[in-house]
Amino acid sequence: MPRQDKAPDLRRPVIAGNWKMYKTGAEARAFFEQFQPLVASASHCDIIVAPPFTALRVCVEASRSGKIAIAAQNMHWQPEGAFTGEISARMLIDAGCTAVIIGHSERRQLFGETDESVHRKTKAALAAGLTPIVCVGETLDERESNTTEKVLSRQMQVGLAALTAAEFSRILLAYEPVWAIGTGRTATPELAADAHRHLRALAAAQFGSESASALRILYGGSVKPDNIKGLMAHEEIDGALVGGASLDPKSFAAIVNY
Ligand code: PEP
């Protein structure tokens, strides 16, 4: 169904860039110098950039216009403590962040994150006043064995079920099929939309139909300037979480200005 059929302003689009473990402070500053003028007239969507921890402050300072929100890529659920190498929501807020990515598939696959840790982190982020960008998605094996919906249901139920409806209304959900991340293999808009529909149905069952229809679901997985338009044309796709293509100011601006 084309996007114009959707109630206007119900779900404002979001384009978010996840820089992963790329860019020093100087490189982040250079990115913003080039990027900001290219998106100066973009008023159709929210823009988020998630740099590594060491570049957070530089990005917060560079985006003082307030047009671009700065997110972290991870956090711990405790406010402080003996947790070497970790960082808390309070610290992210202190650095000027307003959002945080939680449960990215690289965190799940490489660093042992689970649906339970996603749940704890999401609760803590919300309690601190951050917007959690909660990532869900199936692996290639799971898709090929026809368990995509089961996996998404488990990730939603364990990761988010214990939220209140008011808390749920503050999250962004990112559907990121693992087989599409960094592989150049994008899901078709229809395939992504099927998954989004399933996630929205789960949200309706857990939090009611009003919450579900207001939920913004971003697609992530090899989003590029040449496929963003097709993805965003679909009424189920409310935005994109972009990895590789968000590192270059011109390509990320082309995605923002789809
Ligand atoms: C991501 O890291 O969330 C991602 C979607 O990466 P890429 O766009 O490079 O596939």
Side-chain angles (χ1 to χ4, degrees):
M1 198 189 287
R3 170 160 287 269
Q4 48 271 36
D5 288 358
K6 198 177 69 177
D9 299 330
L10 181 61
R11 302 199 299 262
R12 182 172 157 78
V14 186
I15 304 290
N18 171 18
W19 285 359
K20 313 192 185 198
M21 199 172 75
Y22 292 97
K23 293 196 194 292
T24 61
E27 289 162 349
R29 197 172 294 113
F31 174 95
F32 271 82
E33 270 164 28
Q34 279 196 60
F35 178 67
Q36 297 207 100
L38 298 174
V39 297
S41 54
S43 57
H44 60 289
C45 68
D46 293 340
I47 308 171
I48 304 176
V49 170
F53 293 133
T54 49
L56 283 174
R57 267 197 201 278
V58 166
C59 292
V60 167
E61 274 154 28
S63 65
R64 282 266 181 246
S65 69
K67 194 177 177 97
I68 302 162
I70 305 302
Q73 298 172 19
N74 182 31
M75 56 168 266
H76 196 275
W77 57 83
Q78 292 287 356
E80 60 185 8
F83 302 107
T84 303
E86 292 291 334
I87 193 152
S88 74
R90 246 181 95 222
M91 294 164 185
L92 297 180
I93 286 177
D94 181 52
C97 285
T98 54
V100 57
I101 298 174
I102 291 179
H104 189 278
S105 64
E106 286 154 15
R107 301 286 327 159
R108 293 178 189 255
Q109 293 202 309
L110 306 173
F111 301 100
E113 294 210 7
T114 61
D115 297 326
E116 285 77 13
S117 63
V118 166
H119 174 242
R120 288 176 165 183
K121 290 179 182 202
T122 304
K123 276 288 229 193
L126 287 163
L130 291 168
T131 298
I133 306 169
V134 180
C135 302
V136 295
E138 80 286 359
T139 62
L140 187 58
D141 275 359
E142 289 162 344
R143 174 151 290 269
E144 286 177 344
S145 59
N146 287 323
T147 54
T148 298
E149 292 200 350
K150 195 168 142 206
V151 170
L152 295 179
S153 303
R154 191 206 65 226
Q155 290 175 335
M156 281 284 281
Q157 267 145 21
V158 181
L160 301 177
L163 300 187
T164 64
E167 287 174 328
F168 184 73
S169 71
R170 292 171 44 214
I171 75 158
L172 295 172
L173 196 61
Y175 168 60
E176 298 210 305
V178 180
W179 47 269
I181 297 180
T183 59
R185 200 176 150 185
T186 325
T188 60
E190 290 69 30
L191 187 149
D194 282 347
H196 286 210
R197 257 190 296 275
H198 178 65
L199 291 166
R200 209 175 292 287
L202 293 168
Q206 285 177 233
F207 302 101
S209 56
E210 215 171 295
S211 301
S213 40
L215 172 67
R216 292 185 288 175
I217 309 180
L218 283 52
Y219 165 76
S222 298
V223 173
K224 308 282 179 223
D226 62 3
N227 59 27
I228 184 70
K229 214 174 170 62
L231 290 161
M232 291 305 293
H234 209 292
E235 70 142 4
E236 263 303 337
I237 301 177
D238 304 313
L241 181 53
V242 185
S246 71
L247 292 168
D248 174 69
K250 284 198 191 118
S251 93
F252 193 45
I255 293 172
V256 167
N257 294 323
Y258 64 88

